[in-house]
Amino acid sequence: MRTGIVSALVVALAATVTIPVQAHTSLFYAGANGKLNGKFVCLVESDYGNAPVKDLESTDLRCRSKKSPLPTDSVKKCPVPAGETLTVQWQHIHNSVTIPVMSASHVGPCTFYMAPLESAGDGPVWIKIYEKGWDKDKKKWCNNEIIDNDGKFDVTIPKNIPDGDYLIRTEMIALHQANKVGGAQLYPNCVVITVTGGTGSTFPSGSEIPGIYQPKDPGILYDRGDDPTTYKIPGPNVFEANDSSSNTTSSTSAKVTTTKQITTPNDKSSTPSNEESKQPSGASACVKRRNLKYRRSRRSERNVV
């Protein structure tokens, strides 16, 4: 009788307690240039614990949050100067000892995206600022590199963006079950930052999330037994951080708008004047001088007895 009561209590307790899933992960810390803030400071609250998102068409894919709009009003903003690094740290559960970050079997890439905070991540606002899959030199996946570094990773914030508040979407993709449709496990989390010192005047158009991945994309549907050097990281291309006039280009599954620098007809600074156009270029002038010198030399040789 007593044993039955205890068993019933255990079952009831288990039904009301969220138990972290074995071997999974979540973001716990963020900061600038290697200096981490306190637990969950500057992070958008997740509704998944350390469980992954598997529905590629869900808005939960943005920040692992089921709330719409994203609950960012009360989130502290971490200051990160443009061109410097955002440091983040994942853990299996807080201060876990047995599995500090995630099971090493969860091989796969890591990606980082960025969007203006005021957008709440809605619309074609996400640009990819970093990606890493299989490192040929280290012979290691990005996920395993993060695991081996106690869950810590640094990413550089682009210099050529405007100052302001942003969402940084961190993501680890686990491929250990990705050999079937719906098997890839995605672990996104978002950090809220304030950028200063940016050189850009406008933030480029980007991709929509959901929309960056499709179930049969090569980097989503993947057999980890395949040659890792042939792995293609899914999603749009990485934003060219050193060229303020360029933006990402799309992959087969991403909606991306490319911005181009436009020169107006009245912009005299971009059109050479008549005098400038008459002047030979440095290269042609140099050739003309060499030809003239050669002809003079040949005439001198003819005059020599």
Side-chain angles (χ1 to χ4, degrees), residues 18-167:
T18 301
I19 301 175
V21 182
Q22 185 74 3
H24 294 173
T25 194
S26 188
L27 200 68
F28 277 79
Y29 297 97
N33 298 315
K35 298 179 180 178
L36 297 172
N37 295 290
K39 177 183 174 183
F40 298 143
V41 174
C42 302
L43 270 59
V44 176
E45 182 182 2
S46 169
D47 295 313
Y48 278 71
N50 67 358
V53 178
K54 303 185 76 173
D55 183 356
L56 303 181
E57 297 181 357
S58 171
T59 56
D60 298 2
L61 193 62
R62 294 171 183 169
C63 301
R64 237 188 312 184
S65 171
K66 294 182 178 294
K67 299 177 178 66
S68 181
L70 289 172
T72 60
D73 291 343
S74 60
V75 179
K76 179 181 177 180
K77 303 173 182 66
C78 285
V80 185
E84 299 189 23
T85 59
L86 170 70
T87 302
V88 296
Q89 184 178 27
W90 288 267
Q91 292 184 355
H92 167 55
I93 57 175
H94 190 235
N95 293 331
S96 172
V97 177
T98 55
I99 303 177
V101 182
M102 181 167 67
S103 171
S105 67
H106 288 35
V107 301
C110 62
T111 65
F112 287 76
Y113 289 77
M114 185 175 196
L117 180 61
E118 64 182 3
S119 71
D122 190 26
V125 295
W126 294 96
I127 63 170
K128 184 190 283 185
I129 61 173
Y130 183 86
E131 64 179 20
K132 189 173 187 179
W134 172 262
D135 190 311
K136 296 180 181 179
D137 296 326
K138 297 179 180 179
K139 300 186 184 308
K140 187 180 295 186
W141 289 94
C142 184
N143 285 2
N144 297 92
E145 184 176 336
I146 292 171
I147 292 169
D148 292 345
N149 196 39
D150 196 29
K152 296 177 183 177
F153 202 81
D154 291 333
V155 64
T156 301
I157 300 302
K159 183 72 174 175
N160 54 319
I161 58 172
D163 291 351
D165 299 329
Y166 292 93
L167 287 165

Side-chain angles (χ1 to χ4, degrees), residues 180-301:
K180 59 182 182 296
V181 173
Q185 298 180 358
L186 294 92
Y187 298 88
N189 288 101
C190 289
V191 184
V192 180
I193 69 170
T194 295
V195 173
T196 56
T199 60
S201 57
T202 58
F203 191 78
S205 297
S207 303
E208 293 187 39
I209 299 178
I212 53 174
Y213 306 138
Q214 297 299 324
K216 293 186 179 181
D217 282 350
I220 296 295
L221 184 62
Y222 175 80
D223 190 330
R224 67 173 179 174
D226 293 346
D227 180 1
T229 62
T230 64
Y231 178 76
K232 178 178 174 57
I233 300 172
N237 293 340
V238 175
F239 173 69
E240 297 179 24
N242 294 324
D243 183 359
S244 60
S245 65
S246 66
N247 191 14
T248 55
T249 56
S250 78
S251 69
T252 56
S253 64
K255 301 176 182 177
V256 183
T257 303
T258 303
T259 57
K260 296 182 180 179
Q261 187 172 358
I262 300 175
T263 303
T264 62
N266 295 327
D267 187 357
K268 297 181 180 180
S269 63
S270 62
T271 307
S273 66
N274 291 334
E275 292 299 321
E276 290 175 333
S277 61
K278 291 177 183 177
Q279 296 298 321
S281 66
S284 63
C286 184
V287 171
K288 288 183 178 180
R289 285 195 296 271
R290 285 200 301 268
N291 291 340
L292 179 61
K293 184 177 180 181
Y294 175 77
R295 288 197 296 271
R296 288 175 178 172
S297 174
R298 294 295 294 165
R299 284 198 297 271
S300 298
E301 289 175 358

